[in-house]
């Protein structure tokens, strides 16, 4: 399942920046940034924060909101208690 989790590609376009520029700024391989832009992989939170600083935006603009996304029907654990 390949969901659009981040908005890196969209924000780069809005800021008139390229993925190549972002790769150079972060000292990472352009292929890595390409994978982030296509949502085939995700940057860690530390890197996501660095991207937000470079693009001079709030980090929340880089992440698609969770509203209107179907939640998995699997049980989850909260403070060691299983909820259904």
């Amino acid at each position: 399942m390949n969901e659009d989790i981040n908005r890196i590609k969209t924000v780069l376009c809005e800021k008139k920046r390229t993925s190549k520029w972002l790769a150079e700024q972060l000292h990472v391989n352009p292929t890595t940034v390409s994978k982030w832009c296509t949502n085939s992989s995700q940057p860690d939170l530390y890197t996501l924060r660095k991207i937000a600083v470079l693009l001079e935006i709030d980090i929340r603009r880089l992440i698609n909101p969770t509203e209107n996304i179907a939640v998995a029907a699997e049980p989850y654990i909260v403070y060691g208690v299983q909820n259904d």
Side-chain angles (χ1 to χ4, degrees), residues 7 9-17 57 61:
R7 301 181 66 249
K9 182 177 182 178
T10 303
V11 176
L12 282 171
C13 186
E14 290 171 359
K15 294 289 187 169
K16 296 182 177 25
R17 296 290 185 174
I57 59 167
R61 289 199 46 215

Side-chain angles (χ1 to χ4, degrees), residues 5 8 12 14 21 37 48 50 52 64 72 79-80 83:
I5 295 172
I8 295 172
L12 282 171
E14 290 171 359
W21 172 86
C37 288
L48 201 63
K50 287 168 72 174
N64 275 323
Y79 300 112
N83 297 309

Side-chain angles (χ1 to χ4, degrees), residues 48-57:
L48 201 63
R49 184 177 184 280
K50 287 168 72 174
I51 295 168
V53 169
L54 287 168
L55 294 173
E56 299 177 334
I57 59 167

Side-chain angles (χ1 to χ4, degrees), residues 8-76:
I8 295 172
K9 182 177 182 178
T10 303
V11 176
L12 282 171
C13 186
E14 290 171 359
K15 294 289 187 169
K16 296 182 177 25
R17 296 290 185 174
T18 64
S19 58
K20 180 180 177 185
W21 172 86
L22 184 59
E24 290 170 355
Q25 299 302 307
L26 295 172
H27 307 288
V28 299
N29 191 308
T31 303
T32 301
V33 176
S34 176
K35 288 179 181 179
W36 297 339
C37 288
T38 60
N39 277 280
S40 59
S41 74
Q42 301 300 326
D44 59 36
L45 288 175
Y46 178 77
T47 304
L48 201 63
R49 184 177 184 280
K50 287 168 72 174
I51 295 168
V53 169
L54 287 168
L55 294 173
E56 299 177 334
I57 59 167
D58 187 303
I59 192 171
R60 293 173 288 189
R61 289 199 46 215
L62 293 173
I63 304 169
N64 275 323
T66 56
E67 295 173 357
N68 300 324
I69 294 177
V71 177
E74 298 176 16
Y76 57 93

